[in-house]
Amino acid sequence: MAFSRDPLDELVVPDGTEAKEVDLVTDGDVFVGARSTVEFGVRGRNVLAGESVAFGGAIEAEGDCRLDMWCDVAENVLVGQDAYIGERVHVAGEMKVAGDLDIGDDVEIEEGFEANGWIVIRNPMPTIVFLFVYLKHLLLIGEDETAQQLVSELVDDDEQADVEPLVIPKNATVSDDAWRVSTPATIGDDCRLHGNVRAETIDVGENTTIFGSLRARGDVAVDDGSRIHGDLTTRDGNVTIEGDARILGDVSCADLEIGPDAEIDGTIRADGTITMGTTERDPE
């Protein structure tokens, strides 16, 4: 996993991510920036959350789980390896940790906790804050290789090295109603999400289904085979709809580029030009 800038300056939904009933499910790691609200539960490999993050469901981490101070979890926390819990964290359910548990002061776990390894009760360093401040400092001084090595040691292994993490930037709101961020948003291939997406720019991969609208200040792109069950609107940007993507709603933008088999079920409002793609014929 390579970083060329602050790793929490973009919403990244990796390939294959699904909103299953009350959980966000992904194959890789989950990073959540400080002061974000995630009204879903999350299921992934390692789960790392910054200060004052609120989860509306359970956390299931196959690997480690790190929750910085003032985090709130509405249900259980189940951890396959080690857990690091900052001070004043609140868990409404129970916590079960297969490995070691490092837990801070004034932590409330309403239904109790258990760990198969060591249990250390103290004030652990706010690991997520430290991690991303240190990473940002390395990137600012041009130490890209050192930053890459640090991230690889913390979150990568041989089986997961090529799996992109789910990244929710700081101050974001993610729910069944809306995904609201003030950053660009990249949604991968073969995803299935619920909620309106609000971001600076939006890039949707192939064969993804979103049950909600897309709205951005800048450009929006929807790749081949994807379905958007709602309107697509930009304030100042252009829209590209590739291949046979389908928008089940209105489209409003500056310039519009439509693929050869793309469909728009609603009204088109384009202040600039509209470019219609053509299907390429195989040479005889």
Side-chain angles (χ1 to χ4, degrees):
M1 187 175 71
F3 289 128
S4 59
R5 58 185 188 278
D6 183 345
L8 288 178
D9 68 354
E10 181 177 5
L11 171 65
V12 178
V13 181
D15 297 349
T17 299
E18 293 188 54
K20 293 185 175 180
E21 296 181 353
V22 294
D23 292 327
L24 284 178
V25 182
T26 187
D27 292 332
D29 299 326
V30 179
F31 294 162
V32 185
R35 298 176 299 280
S36 290
T37 299
V38 181
E39 295 186 12
F40 296 99
V42 295
R43 289 158 53 188
R45 187 173 173 271
N46 298 308
V47 177
L48 299 90
E51 184 177 317
S52 301
V53 172
F55 293 92
I59 294 176
E60 295 185 30
E62 295 178 10
D64 294 347
C65 178
R66 298 170 182 256
L67 304 178
D68 273 348
M69 60 183 69
W70 298 105
C71 283
D72 188 275
V73 184
E75 297 182 20
N76 299 329
V77 177
L78 307 177
V79 185
Q81 294 182 16
D82 300 331
Y84 305 83
I85 310 300
E87 62 182 351
R88 295 182 176 84
V89 168
H90 171 255
V91 178
E94 63 179 349
M95 176 177 291
K96 293 186 176 181
V97 181
D100 298 336
L101 173 59
D102 196 341
I103 190 169
D105 292 338
D106 298 322
V107 171
E108 181 183 6
I109 304 173
E110 293 187 10
E111 297 184 15
F113 64 88
E114 61 182 70
N116 290 334
W118 291 96
I119 298 177
V120 179
I121 300 177
R122 60 183 178 87
N123 256 343
M125 179 180 295
T127 54
I128 303 307
V129 171
F130 173 79
L131 169 63
F132 288 113
V133 168
Y134 183 42
L135 276 174
K136 189 169 185 179
H137 174 71
L138 290 174
L139 295 171
L140 285 173
I141 64 175
E143 294 289 342
D144 294 359
E145 185 175 346
T146 304
Q148 171 64 38
Q149 182 179 357
L150 173 63
V151 173
S152 297
E153 291 174 354
L154 287 170
V155 301
D156 286 353
D157 65 14
D158 291 339
E159 294 181 357
Q160 296 287 337
D162 295 329
V163 179
E164 191 173 23
L166 170 62
V167 179
I168 298 173
K170 61 184 180 181
N171 300 314
T173 299
V174 174
S175 71
D176 198 47
D177 177 64
W179 297 55
R180 299 181 186 275
V181 299
S182 58
T183 68
T186 299
I187 300 171
D189 302 338
D190 302 306
C191 296
R192 186 178 179 87
L193 305 178
H194 296 265
N196 304 309
V197 180
R198 304 289 184 259
E200 185 68 26
T201 62
I202 303 173
D203 191 343
V204 179
E206 296 181 356
N207 301 312
T208 284
T209 299
I210 298 177
F211 295 95
S213 62
L214 306 182
R215 180 179 299 170
R217 293 184 179 180
D219 295 345
V220 178
V222 180
D223 214 337
D224 191 27
S226 290
R227 299 289 181 269
I228 310 300
H229 293 257
D231 296 338
L232 193 163
T233 305
T234 73
R235 181 182 298 179
D236 303 308
N238 303 323
V239 168
T240 303
I241 304 171
E242 300 281 1
D244 66 347
R246 185 176 179 184
I247 311 300
L248 287 83
D250 299 338
V251 173
S252 179
C253 60
D255 295 342
L256 173 62
E257 183 177 346
I258 307 175
D261 299 310
E263 296 182 27
I264 299 173
D265 288 4
T267 301
I268 297 175
R269 301 180 182 90
D271 295 333
T273 60
I274 299 177
T275 304
M276 308 290 291
T278 58
T279 303
E280 296 183 1
R281 295 182 179 179
D282 294 332
E284 297 181 357

